[in-house]
């Protein structure tokens, strides 16, 4: 049983890591497309070649994003099993893990570090049952709320930076129109306008605005889950149904939310860990 739980925790860590790596590759690929678009503004490419390059780039981007979504789905499925097993103490079937690992290479889980597994452990000291499941959900929702809020702040600054760059480019193009050389200024304005369009397309292609909205929504959902968990923990009688309802709602919100980058967790993990120990001291 313990061996199966250890494998399940490794599967959670490995699948989410793969999903984040594929999403990073997606963002890098979109940035490469942006650079290609900027280069094409200053060079003369035939329409047929441009169309072929655009077609290949779009197919590659969709494939990379699809791989990220597939790994995220695998990770969510494994994490749901882990949360129910750790909280309510349900029996974990070893054959399910064996079937999943049979479709992967032999050494698929060998590179999972202890720090990655640590992220899926819970601090609750309660025995297996509905109260422990709710405390686990409370802990997950607390971390999700604060990490999502930080992602919202970062994305707001990034969006403002892009808008400032676009506005500066537009200002330069307007100033160029007032120059004496009309032919040269017209070409400059056309090039700057093309770059601005390419940057705005890049912003929407990586779903920057949607990511901001999704992280904000996930933070709000996590806040509501925390409120419900606090109400249930004050009750002397908690049923499995109560625990499963709040856990299901949290898992649904998390499944619809974007993945939080590991770098954000590393930057703020120590500080948040200190605050979490104040929020719910061990032994309580």
């Amino acid at each position: 049983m313990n061996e199966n739980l250890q494998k399940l925790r490794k599967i959670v860590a490995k699948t989410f890591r793969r999903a984040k790596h594929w999403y990073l590759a997606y963002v890098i690929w979109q940035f490469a497309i942006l650079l290609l678009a900027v280069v094409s503004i200053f060079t003369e490419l035939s329409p047929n070649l441009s169309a072929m390059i655009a077609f290949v780039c779009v197919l590659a981007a969709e494939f990379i994003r699809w791989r990220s979504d597939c790994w995220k789905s695998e990770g969510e499925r494994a994490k749901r099993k882990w949360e129910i097993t750790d909280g309510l103490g349900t029996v974990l079937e070893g054959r399910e893990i064996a079937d999943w690992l049979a479709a992967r290479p032999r050494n698929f889980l060998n590179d999972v570090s202890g720090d990655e597994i640590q992220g899926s452990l819970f601090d609750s000291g309660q025995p297996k049952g509905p109260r422990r499941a709710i405390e686990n959900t409370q802990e997950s929702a607390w971390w999700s709320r604060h990490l999502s809020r930080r992602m919202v702040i970062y994305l707001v600054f990034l969006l403002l930076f892009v808008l400032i760059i676009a506005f500066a480019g537009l200002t330069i193009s307007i100033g160029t129109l007032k120059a004496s050389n009309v032919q040269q200024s017209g070409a400059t304005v056309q090039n700057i306008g093309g770059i601005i369009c390419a940057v705005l397309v890049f912003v929407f292609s990586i779903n920057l605005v949607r990511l901001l909205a999704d992280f904000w929504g996930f933070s709000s959902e996590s806040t509501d889950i925390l409120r419900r968990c606090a109400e249930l923990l004050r009750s002397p009688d908690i049923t499995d149904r109560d625990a499963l309802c709040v856990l299901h709602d949290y898992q649904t919100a998390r499944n619809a939310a974007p993945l939080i980058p590991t770098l954000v967790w590393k930057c703020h993990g120590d500080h948040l860990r200190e605050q979490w120990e104040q929020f719910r001291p061990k032994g309580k």
Side-chain angles (χ1 to χ4, degrees), residues 6-270:
Q6 184 73 0
K7 288 181 179 179
L8 185 59
R9 287 195 291 265
K10 287 186 176 182
I11 290 173
V12 172
K14 184 63 176 284
T15 50
F16 279 133
R17 190 213 305 167
R18 283 286 184 91
K20 293 176 182 179
H21 286 176
W22 276 101
Y23 192 83
L24 178 61
Y26 172 76
V27 174
I28 293 174
W29 181 254
Q30 292 289 359
F31 186 74
I33 295 175
L34 170 64
L35 294 180
L36 181 62
V38 172
V39 171
S40 65
I41 293 173
F42 298 96
T43 59
E44 295 183 359
L45 294 178
S46 67
N48 292 337
L49 180 59
S50 299
M52 181 59 66
I53 292 176
F55 177 73
V56 172
C57 288
V58 169
L59 284 183
E62 289 301 316
F63 172 78
I64 296 172
R65 182 64 183 271
W66 171 72
R67 291 301 300 160
S68 175
D69 291 342
C70 286
W71 282 112
K72 181 178 183 290
S73 177
E74 294 284 352
E76 287 290 345
R77 186 179 297 110
K79 193 165 187 176
R80 287 193 294 268
K81 289 182 181 295
W82 160 245
E83 288 170 334
I84 293 176
T85 300
D86 183 85
L88 297 176
T90 57
V91 178
L92 179 64
E93 295 289 343
R95 59 187 179 184
E96 294 182 22
I97 297 178
D99 285 340
W100 193 89
L101 290 176
R104 271 73 189 176
R106 175 185 293 272
N107 300 323
F108 182 76
L109 300 178
N110 287 2
D111 63 339
V112 178
S113 64
D115 292 338
E116 290 181 283
I117 299 176
Q118 190 70 24
S120 62
L121 300 179
F122 296 103
D123 289 340
S124 176
Q126 297 290 334
K128 307 285 186 183
R131 185 169 293 273
R132 178 182 176 87
I134 292 175
E135 286 192 356
N136 290 350
T137 305
Q138 182 187 50
E139 181 177 352
S140 295
W142 188 89
W143 281 86
S144 297
R145 177 177 67 173
H146 290 285
L147 290 174
S148 295
R149 283 180 176 178
R150 280 162 172 77
M151 282 302 303
V152 169
I153 294 173
Y154 292 145
L155 291 173
V156 166
F157 278 112
L158 180 58
L159 185 59
L160 288 176
F161 174 76
V162 172
L163 292 177
I164 290 172
I165 294 298
F167 180 78
L170 183 61
T171 303
I172 293 173
S173 64
I174 294 175
T176 307
L177 281 174
K178 299 178 181 180
S180 57
N181 192 334
V182 179
Q183 183 177 1
Q184 183 179 0
S185 63
T188 303
V189 170
Q190 183 178 0
N191 292 337
I192 294 177
I195 294 175
I196 293 174
C197 291
V199 171
L200 293 178
V201 168
F202 170 74
V203 168
F204 286 102
S205 66
I206 62 173
N207 298 319
L208 184 58
V209 177
R210 180 178 175 181
L211 285 174
L212 197 159
D214 287 345
F215 276 119
W216 177 261
F218 187 36
S219 176
S220 300
E221 290 283 350
S222 299
T223 300
D224 182 63
I225 294 296
L226 283 171
R227 178 189 58 78
R228 293 170 58 187
C229 288
E231 292 176 355
L232 287 172
L233 290 174
R234 286 194 293 266
S235 174
D237 299 320
I238 307 175
T239 64
D240 289 351
R241 182 179 181 277
D242 295 330
L244 286 173
C245 283
V246 69
L247 176 59
H248 175 267
D249 289 344
Y250 171 71
Q251 290 174 341
T252 301
R254 185 185 63 204
N255 185 67
L259 288 171
I260 297 175
T262 303
L263 181 61
V264 176
W265 184 87
K266 288 183 177 180
C267 291
H268 302 283
D270 293 338

